Amino acid sequence: FPSHDSILFRVWDKNLKIMANVNTIKFNGDNVYPQVFYRYIDPQTGRAIDESSTFGPPGNGGNVIKLMQYTGVKDCEGNKIYEGDIIECVDAVEGEEGWYEEWREKFPEWVKFVVKWTSEETDTDFGEGYNGLLFPLYSDSMVLKIIGNIYDNPELVEVTH
């Protein structure tokens, strides 16, 4: 299992249509709901832009962002896997190749998953694949690669369901 040395978040800003790294979540302040402070790179100017938004229910300005937590797992290229990422099982670890080749050939739609927490009771990350099947993200037999996320690449979500 991965080490959870730090708790990291990213945010999807629905108005700006950008994914950004969260710098701070402020729970004590003038607002009833937490303030989320985040930074993104403006694609037109290349400059870093700081933003903030309230995280809470719609109607209170809280429906502008979607907060996503880092799972503590990295993909085969060293990229951090967050909730909302779409991952693909691209290979099996050494000694596990037999099942992988048969599985990929028979069920090609089952090799892509959307990362999500299943419940607070299990405290486990899962990838949700074809027909809602769940697969543990902490698998020691699959090699995973991020191929997109549900906001930037919604067309890939259709592939997983």
Side-chain angles (χ1 to χ4, degrees):
F1 286 93
S3 169
H4 287 283
D5 296 330
S6 59
I7 299 173
L8 302 173
F9 291 92
R10 71 178 182 194
V11 65
W12 173 255
D13 186 305
K14 296 175 187 178
N15 292 341
L16 297 172
K17 305 272 190 256
I18 53 101
M19 192 72 70
N21 293 321
V22 172
N23 296 328
T24 305
I25 301 174
K26 185 176 178 183
F27 291 94
N28 299 328
D30 297 335
N31 297 311
V32 175
Y33 299 103
Q35 283 289 113
V36 179
F37 297 87
Y38 49 99
R39 174 175 285 178
Y40 69 96
I41 303 299
D42 185 310
Q44 294 165 341
T45 66
R47 294 181 55 217
I49 307 291
D50 291 318
E51 289 284 341
S52 69
S53 182
T54 302
F55 182 71
N60 294 312
N63 60 344
V64 173
I65 60 171
K66 174 65 177 157
L67 200 60
M68 293 162 278
Q69 187 173 356
Y70 170 50
T71 63
V73 177
K74 293 183 179 179
D75 75 356
C76 62
E77 296 179 350
N79 299 308
K80 294 174 182 165
I81 300 175
Y82 285 83
E83 291 176 87
D85 279 339
I86 301 169
I87 57 175
E88 180 175 11
C89 179
V90 294
D91 204 352
V93 296
E94 189 173 332
E96 299 285 339
E97 299 89 352
W99 72 265
Y100 174 75
E101 292 303 324
E102 181 180 346
W103 188 54
R104 189 171 181 91
E105 187 175 314
K106 286 184 178 179
F107 311 105
E109 68 276 12
W110 288 10
V111 297
K112 294 184 174 80
F113 312 97
V114 175
V115 177
K116 61 193 305 184
W117 292 102
T118 56
S119 72
E120 292 178 21
E121 291 81 34
T122 62
D123 194 35
T124 303
D125 300 311
F126 278 89
E128 181 179 25
Y130 183 75
N131 285 337
L133 293 174
L134 298 175
F135 295 87
L137 189 57
Y138 304 116
S139 172
D140 57 358
S141 61
M142 296 189 291
V143 177
L144 304 173
K145 181 179 179 183
I146 298 170
I147 59 170
N149 66 68
I150 60 174
Y151 300 103
D152 288 325
N153 315 99
E155 72 281 0
L156 293 177
V157 175
E158 296 301 319
V159 175
T160 66
H161 292 287

